Amino acid sequence: MKSTIREKQFAESSRDNLVKQLISVNEQLEQFAYVASHDLREPLRIIVCFTELLAKEYGDKIDETGRNYMEINRQAAKKMELMVANLLEYGRLGQGVDRLTKTDCNEALKQALEALRESIKSSKAEIQHAPLPTIMADPIHMARLFQNLIGNALKYQRPGKPPVIRVAVSEKEVQWQFSVIDNGIGIEKVYLDSIFAPFKRLHTDDQYAGTGIGLAICKRIVEEFGGSIWAESKPDQGSTFFFTLPKREE
Ligand code: ADP
């Protein structure tokens, strides 16, 4: 009997140690990614700057093939700059959650739509939304969530089909459940989980431009505030992205 208790205690303490080690390794990895992306910014900025200068000042002394190579270089450096900026934003999200304040979700949505104004206009999108609640959240992150999800709904559209996007909310017992519904290209079932991983993309830049970090940022924001995010979809018909946020006292 005694030895069974001792074995149980031993198993529990090994498990606790393992969890602690995992948390610590995870934090170190996040810190590493943050520092690496921060330090990469400067040399990248120099590459972009001098590739542009080279094209401007020596472009006429180089033949067309050379100019093509320079342009490919410039585009790759620009893309990397964007990815590094995204990675930094992703890393910064892990730095503290004590910014909960009374947040009018209508206001957060308005800000997101304002940021997306050009693509809403050019795609002739119709955006519908129910009145949204005021909840305890972070207004900047709330706007970011809407912006990333609606931005994707605008981008992943079927050619010639104007986007119709709906933002809805339902009040559950202990949480708010938001959804962003689109009529776009949809997502195959096998990818519905992996799309939330950083830099996971299902398309090339020629098809749809992007860096693959938008949904990872959404996941990180939602989870940091104690909620969850997932997607349901029918290929060629559309997708719905759901996220929940716990109800909290003011
Ligand atoms: P990005 O849009 O920069 O590629 P995201 O992290 O926002 O990065 O999205 C990851 C992938 O999930 C996208 O590359 C796309 O394949 C898929 N995806 C996201 N939103 C939608 C959507 N509304 N409809 C169809 N596919 C989507």
Side-chain angles (χ1 to χ4, degrees):
M1 178 73 175
K2 254 187 192 164
S3 76
T4 323
I5 293 173
R6 229 178 280 132
E7 274 166 22
K8 207 172 151 216
Q9 283 171 341
F10 180 72
E12 276 171 6
S13 91
S14 311
R15 193 198 51 208
D16 289 351
N17 279 338
L18 208 61
V19 170
K20 272 189 206 144
Q21 275 176 28
L22 269 177
I23 291 174
S24 157
V25 168
N26 204 20
E27 281 172 359
Q28 283 171 30
L29 266 176
E30 283 184 1
Q31 187 62 16
F32 171 76
Y34 183 76
V35 171
S37 46
H38 185 270
D39 292 357
L40 271 174
R41 270 197 316 186
E42 185 56 17
L44 253 177
R45 204 186 55 78
I46 294 172
I47 294 174
V48 171
C49 183
F50 278 87
T51 316
E52 282 173 355
L53 216 63
L54 199 66
K56 198 171 148 214
E57 294 189 8
Y58 295 89
D60 53 355
K61 297 187 181 65
I62 301 170
D63 68 7
E64 203 184 328
T65 314
R67 281 200 297 274
N68 279 345
Y69 289 169
M70 279 198 314
E71 180 53 20
I72 292 169
N73 245 355
R74 194 189 66 82
Q75 281 178 15
K78 276 271 178 209
K79 171 97 194 241
M80 195 162 165
E81 229 181 9
L82 192 61
M83 289 172 85
V84 165
N86 286 165
L87 202 56
L88 263 177
E89 183 186 356
Y90 182 77
R92 277 199 196 105
L93 288 171
Q95 298 174 354
V97 281
D98 44 18
R99 299 170 304 259
L100 293 177
T101 109
K102 255 172 106 173
T103 301
D104 179 355
C105 294
N106 297 292
E107 206 37 57
L109 177 64
K110 206 167 128 192
Q111 274 184 31
L113 296 180
E114 186 54 34
L116 295 166
R117 192 157 47 139
E118 279 311 310
S119 26
I120 294 175
K121 206 170 137 199
S122 63
S123 61
K124 299 192 171 59
E126 182 185 329
I127 315 271
Q128 310 160 349
H129 74 94
L132 302 178
T134 292
I135 64 172
M136 289 305 283
D138 175 313
I140 295 174
H141 286 163
M142 208 61 208
R144 190 78 181 129
L145 269 174
F146 285 133
Q147 186 179 329
N148 287 5
L149 295 177
I150 298 170
N152 279 348
L154 289 165
K155 179 163 62 168
Y156 296 105
Q157 275 301 323
R158 287 170 285 166
K161 190 111 184 129
V164 179
I165 300 163
R166 194 152 54 87
V167 180
V169 64
S170 66
E171 184 171 3
K172 310 278 179 197
E173 202 177 326
V174 292
Q175 61 193 13
W176 294 100
Q177 181 177 299
F178 293 84
S179 46
V180 176
I181 306 146
D182 69 48
N183 60 338
I185 59 171
I187 303 161
E188 298 280 349
K189 200 164 186 248
V190 284
Y191 299 118
L192 285 176
D193 288 333
S194 60
I195 50 173
F196 293 96
F199 298 127
K200 174 73 186 178
R201 305 207 66 221
L202 307 181
H203 306 278
T204 60
D205 270 358
D206 311 342
Q207 298 167 300
Y208 298 96
T211 57
I213 200 90
L215 288 179
I217 286 178
C218 291
K219 184 172 159 72
R220 187 141 194 183
I221 292 175
V222 167
E223 288 182 351
E224 211 172 307
F225 292 105
S228 52
I229 184 165
W230 69 98
E232 290 174 5
S233 183
K234 286 208 174 96
D236 295 324
Q237 290 187 34
S239 311
T240 302
F241 282 81
F242 296 94
F243 65 91
T244 59
L245 291 174
K247 289 182 180 168
R248 296 178 199 261
E249 297 292 320
E250 278 179 34

